[in-house]
Amino acid sequence: MRITGYRTLTTVQEWGRPVGDANGVFADGVVPVPIVVVDTDEGIRGVGIGPSVEIERIFAAIDGEDPRAVTTLYDRMLRHTFKAGHAGPVFGTIGALDTALWDIKAQAAGEPLWRLLGGRDRRVPAYASGLDIGLTDDELVVTYQEYAQYGLRAAKLKGGLDIERDRRRLCLIRDVLTEAGRGGRPGLMLDVNEAWTRKQAVRHVSEIERVLDLIWIEEPVRRWDAEGLATVGRGIRASVATGENLTGLEQYRPLIAAGAVDIVQTAAVWGVTHFLRASALAHAHDLPISPIGNSPVGLLHAATSVPNHLTSELQDLRPPVGLTVDLHVEDGAFVLGDSPGLGIHVDERVIAAAGRRPQAHPGDSPNVRPEQAGRRLLAEADGVPPHRRWPVAAPTPASRDNHEPDGQIHRTVAS
């Protein structure tokens, strides 16, 4: 079997409500979902969800190769980015291609990826994560009532702009999950997306811990601040979770060495091989691992095979437009199916017919760090990023025309 080419597509996740974090909010709830499809000469196609930045240069590392040699091809892709580096979306492109190759390998073996990787139990424990900073209190309650119907008993709130609001909303979620579970203490987490200084983090979390028990505080300070994360960890009862924005094991090592991380995280977009290696590194230090991202399908399969998986993030209960996935959620867990590979089917006709494109948000999306992040003296007026408090207009045909066309086809001839 040989790799013969790739295609890139873009669909969207339609949340039907505002979604975001301390850095910004997509008020229309339409979030881009990039896809990479890898083709082989035997007709098996693999799917990876992730960016395609510099993909032509990276794809050259695997062009014409046997896709089943996944881990060595992963290292070849890393070597092809040696000079410029493999951080950020370039690492995401490697991860998308890597996930697609794992999909191909498992399909060729006629097995779901979780079984190919050595998983014994197809159930992957989950927690609810609504990207909910833009919701009113009433909307927050309704959102987590829906999660609770699927048996979820742990949840992560987005916050960091108003500690009183965060405490109140964590209590609302606690009450929803307690009622749904007919008693018992639910698990609560808070994610502030690097919005605080060290002193702010200790002060704010300590204030919350007067009335609530947090499982973890996520990214309380900057992702690379090993000393700061360790300082926060020593000053609070909750665990410190971080890692979703780290690209490569070399970025984890100083944090682990400094005792700066209690819950090791990896983003779904970084790929399966990275998750497996980060899991092994964490396990060597007796640390649990937890995948981050919307429908982190590849990492869910991989999570069944590692000894230190703790829980995986469940964001939207529905898949992106045009995608069907062989998994479902019940009793607080993802339940993986028996379809060979990842179990992802991409319907390009549905994607094209939907015609949905996210609007360009150059300076006010959750992907752009606000100028005042880490330098706020006072709480935001209502705990919501000030530049995205109100809905935006629907995209016009002209704005849609500014996006790159879907279905870009790239073919090569195997040597």
Side-chain angles (χ1 to χ4, degrees), residues 89-270:
V90 170
F91 197 65
T93 301
I94 292 172
L97 290 168
D98 171 74
T99 300
L101 298 187
W102 279 109
D103 189 17
I104 292 170
K105 182 169 184 171
Q107 288 183 61
E111 292 187 333
L113 181 58
W114 64 268
R115 186 172 288 124
L116 180 75
L117 290 172
R120 178 173 174 269
D121 187 351
R122 69 181 71 218
R123 299 177 60 84
V124 181
Y127 68 90
S129 178
L131 310 186
D132 42 39
I133 201 167
L135 303 181
T136 66
D137 287 0
D138 289 342
E139 292 168 338
L140 185 79
V141 168
V142 171
T143 295
Y144 282 91
Q145 284 174 338
E146 183 179 10
Y147 286 123
Q149 291 174 6
Y150 290 84
L152 292 158
R153 296 296 177 263
K156 183 172 76 182
L157 178 77
K158 291 287 190 179
L161 300 180
D162 182 340
I163 197 63
E164 297 295 337
R165 181 178 192 256
D166 292 345
R167 178 167 53 187
R168 181 181 75 248
R169 288 159 69 85
L170 283 165
C171 287
L172 290 174
I173 295 174
R174 177 200 61 191
D175 293 345
V176 167
L177 299 184
T178 299
E179 180 180 358
R182 295 184 175 85
R185 179 184 294 179
L188 299 172
M189 306 87 145
L190 178 64
D191 185 2
V192 302
N193 295 97
E194 306 180 53
W196 291 335
T197 65
R198 303 175 188 184
K199 289 288 189 178
Q200 284 176 326
V202 172
R203 186 171 76 250
H204 291 338
V205 174
S206 296
E207 184 66 24
I208 289 175
E209 289 180 330
R210 292 175 182 269
V211 295
L212 289 169
D213 183 32
L214 289 179
I215 295 176
W216 75 59
I217 178 70
E218 187 168 325
E219 290 192 324
V221 298
R222 298 313 303 271
R223 67 194 67 172
W224 53 74
D225 186 3
E227 181 181 352
L229 289 164
T231 298
V232 173
R234 289 192 295 268
I236 62 176
R237 299 198 309 267
S239 294
V240 171
T242 190
E244 67 173 288
N245 289 304
L246 303 183
T247 52
L249 299 186
E250 69 281 358
Q251 296 185 9
Y252 286 90
R253 287 202 301 265
L255 271 64
I256 292 176
V261 54
D262 303 303
I263 311 292
V264 176
Q265 297 175 316
T266 64
V269 72
W270 304 145

Side-chain angles (χ1 to χ4, degrees), residues 319-342:
V321 172
L323 269 60
T324 56
V325 185
D326 187 13
L327 65 79
H328 64 279
V329 179
E330 68 176 22
D331 296 332
F334 295 97
V335 183
L336 299 168
D338 287 316
S339 297
L342 293 174

Side-chain angles (χ1 to χ4, degrees), residues 27-30 355-361 388 390-400 403:
D28 58 5
V30 180
R356 293 300 305 270
R357 297 290 182 276
Q359 297 188 75
H361 300 297
R388 293 311 303 271
W390 298 283
V392 296
T396 64
S399 68
R400 286 197 294 265
H403 291 268

